[in-house]
Amino acid sequence: MAKTMAVNAGSSSLKFQLLEMPAETVIAKGVIERIGLGDSIFTIKYGDGEKYEVVEDIDNHEQGIEKLLQALLDLEIVANFDEITGVGHRVVAGGEWFNHSVVVTEEVLEKIDRLAAYAPLHNPANAMGIRVFQKLLPNAISVAVFDTAFHQTMPNVNYLYSLPYQYYTRYGARKYGAHGTSHRYVANRAADLLGKPLVDLKLITLHLGAGASITAIKDGKSFDTSMGFTPLAGITMATRSGDVDPSLIYYIQEHENLSNDEMLAILNGKSGLLGVSTLSADMRDLLDVQETNEHAKLAIDIFVNRVVKYIGQYVAEMGGVDALVFTAGIGENSVPLRKMILDKLGYFGIKLNEENNNKRGNEIEISTADSTVKAFMIPTNEELMIARDVEAAKNENN
Ligand code: ADP
C-alpha cells in the first residue's frame, strides 16, 4: 500500500507522520528535536503503542532524515523506500505565488527560497527539508503545502494595510496570514458536523496554540485572518506580542537602546503571555496560579480580551456567524479558557454546554442545543491535510 510522509521541518526540529493513503491511516509519527544543538532527541511512535527513542547528537537535517529513514526500515515500519510514494512538506510562507499546494519543481524551490524574507525562521528550514527528502527519496512525489495558501482568497480590503500603495506593489507589503492548513481542516470538519456545505456557512476558527490565529471564513473561503505580513500580528500568543502600535516600538527601541533585530526578538520571543505574566509562556502554568498571581491573571485576561475582540470584528465584517471552532493546544485542551471566551459572547446568541465543554478527547459540540450560534472543539490535523494534498497531486499527475 502506498505511504505518504507529512513533514514539518523547523529550524532545529523535524516533525513527521507516515500515513497509509488513501486509507488515511497513521502508521508512524515522530519528531527529531534539538537538531544541531547537541543531545538531539529522536522519537517515533508506531504499531500498537510502541515507542522508539534515542538521544544522540544529530548535526543537521540531512543526518536527521537519514536516521529517520533508516529507523523506518529497522523497525519494519516500511519494507523498502519505494513504499513511500509521496512526501508533503509544510511551508510557512507562500506569498502571492501560491494559493494552493503544488508539486515541488526547481522553480517552486527557488520561490520558497526567495520567500524566506517573509518567514526567515521557517522557510529556509522548510526548503532544506524538501531538498534532503528529494535527495534521499528521489522517486517520491514532493508537494509543498503552504500555511498562507488558504488565506489568498481574502479580499484586498482585508489584506491591505493603510500604507502608501507602492509598498504593496514594490515589496508585497500586505497581510498573508498563517495556520491556513489548520483553519481549512477544522472549517471543513465543522461543516460536516453541522451537516451543511461549507460555502453556505459563516465560521470563525480559533487556532489557539503557542502561535495563535483567528480566521473568518465566508463562502467557504478565508475572508480575514488575525496574523499579518508575518505570524507576529494578531492576538496575544505564548511569546509573541500580537498587534502593537508601531510607533511604540520605535519609542521603546530608542529608550532601551535596542537594535532592530533585538527588538524583533523581544516581540517574537519575550512578549505575549510570557511578557505580561513575567512567569511563563505556557497557558497551563498561568491557569494554575491565576488565583494568587495577579500577573498570571492579567496575562490570561489580556489573551481572552484579544480573542473576544477579534471575534467581534469578524462577526461585524461577515454580518453574522454560524459557528465558532476551537482548535490547537489551548483551544483543544483548555476547558476554562473556552468557557472564559464563550461566556463573553452570550450577546450574540451563544450558550455554552458546560458538560460537553468538560469532556476530553474527540470532536465535540460545546454549545447548547438552543444556542443560535454553535461552538465546537475540533482537534486540528494538519498532517492529514498535507497527506490529502499529496494524494490529490498524485492523482493529477497520473
Ligand atoms: P504550537 O503548534 O504553536 O507549538 P500547540 O498547538 O501545540 O502549539 O499548543 C501549545 C500550547 O498549548 C502550549 O503553549 C500550552 O500552553 C497550551 N496547552 C496545552 N495543553 C493545555 C491545557 N490543558 N490548558 C491550557 N493550555 C494548554
Side-chain angles (χ1 to χ4, degrees), residues 15 179 207-212 238 240 273 281-285 287 327-337 360 380 382:
K15 290 188 202 146
H179 295 140
H207 179 108
L208 309 178
R240 283 175 243 169
L273 296 176
D282 193 320
M283 186 57 92
R284 284 166 291 199
D285 297 341
L287 288 164
T327 195
I330 298 172
E332 290 169 28
N333 299 304
S334 187
V335 171
L337 244 299
R360 300 227 144 244
T380 194
E382 289 158 288

Side-chain angles (χ1 to χ4, degrees), residues 361-374:
N362 230 320
E363 301 176 338
I364 190 156
E365 182 177 335
I366 55 170
S367 48
T368 58
D370 64 340
S371 184
T372 48
V373 173
K374 300 291 177 194

Side-chain angles (χ1 to χ4, degrees), residues 159-185:
Y159 72 66
L160 280 178
Y161 293 106
S162 322
L163 289 169
Y165 196 81
Q166 71 263 26
Y167 298 144
Y168 168 59
T169 44
R170 271 188 215 157
Y171 311 117
R174 53 160 285 179
K175 183 194 274 200
Y176 292 99
H179 295 140
T181 312
S182 173
H183 290 291
R184 177 162 62 111
Y185 175 77

Side-chain angles (χ1 to χ4, degrees), residues 206-208 283 287 290 300 303-304 307-308 311 324-346 350-367 375-380:
L206 308 143
H207 179 108
L208 309 178
M283 186 57 92
L287 288 164
Q290 61 169 330
I300 296 168
F303 180 88
V304 171
V307 171
V308 167
I311 293 172
L324 306 181
V325 186
F326 288 86
T327 195
I330 298 172
E332 290 169 28
N333 299 304
S334 187
V335 171
L337 244 299
R338 289 195 301 255
K339 178 171 165 54
M340 281 184 237
I341 294 165
L342 292 181
D343 278 351
K344 288 186 184 288
L345 300 172
I350 201 152
K351 280 196 220 156
L352 177 69
N353 177 333
E354 302 254 5
E355 196 187 324
N356 280 3
N357 191 40
N358 282 316
K359 285 186 190 153
R360 300 227 144 244
N362 230 320
E363 301 176 338
I364 190 156
E365 182 177 335
I366 55 170
S367 48
F376 296 95
M377 185 287 281
I378 298 179
T380 194

Side-chain angles (χ1 to χ4, degrees), residues 5-214:
M5 181 84 91
V7 178
N8 182 354
S11 52
S12 65
S13 71
L14 186 134
K15 290 188 202 146
F16 67 91
Q17 254 187 39
L18 188 66
L19 295 98
E20 208 137 68
M21 295 299 283
E24 304 192 341
T25 323
V26 178
I27 39 185
K29 62 178 172 184
V31 58
I32 310 171
E33 292 164 280
R34 299 183 52 83
I35 297 173
L37 299 174
D39 289 331
S40 317
I41 310 160
F42 174 24
T43 325
I44 305 184
K45 289 182 184 160
Y46 64 106
D48 213 3
E50 280 152 290
K51 189 172 171 183
Y52 166 86
E53 184 172 303
V54 247
V55 178
E56 60 179 340
D57 289 358
I58 295 176
D59 297 332
N60 52 52
H61 285 68
E62 180 154 359
Q63 224 183 64
I65 295 165
E66 273 171 6
K67 280 184 193 291
L68 156 62
L69 292 174
Q70 191 56 46
L72 294 179
L73 277 184
D74 295 346
L75 300 170
E76 296 178 0
I77 296 167
V78 298
N80 60 65
F81 293 142
D82 288 338
E83 286 181 17
I84 305 174
T85 52
V87 186
H89 299 267
R90 174 193 183 204
V91 179
V92 168
E96 287 188 334
W97 281 322
F98 301 105
N99 59 10
H100 55 83
S101 301
V102 292
V103 174
V104 180
T105 59
E106 261 316 301
E107 195 194 333
V108 168
L109 255 178
E110 192 200 312
K111 284 183 171 156
I112 294 172
D113 285 338
R114 281 168 63 190
L115 288 162
Y118 293 180
L121 301 178
H122 295 103
N123 268 39
N126 304 153
M128 185 166 5
I130 294 175
R131 289 195 166 93
V132 176
F133 269 102
Q134 282 187 331
K135 185 172 155 196
L136 299 177
L137 296 178
N139 298 327
I141 189 172
S142 170
V143 174
V145 179
F146 299 91
D147 261 33
T148 50
F150 181 59
H151 301 302
Q152 277 297 299
T153 50
M154 283 188 289
N156 58 4
V157 287
N158 288 344
Y159 72 66
L160 280 178
Y161 293 106
S162 322
L163 289 169
Y165 196 81
Q166 71 263 26
Y167 298 144
Y168 168 59
T169 44
R170 271 188 215 157
Y171 311 117
R174 53 160 285 179
K175 183 194 274 200
Y176 292 99
H179 295 140
T181 312
S182 173
H183 290 291
R184 177 162 62 111
Y185 175 77
V186 298
N188 278 292
R189 288 301 309 141
D192 285 351
L193 294 174
L194 286 162
K196 289 194 179 150
L198 183 59
V199 288
D200 294 342
L201 292 166
K202 290 174 183 156
L203 300 177
I204 298 176
T205 49
L206 308 143
H207 179 108
L208 309 178
S213 67
I214 301 185

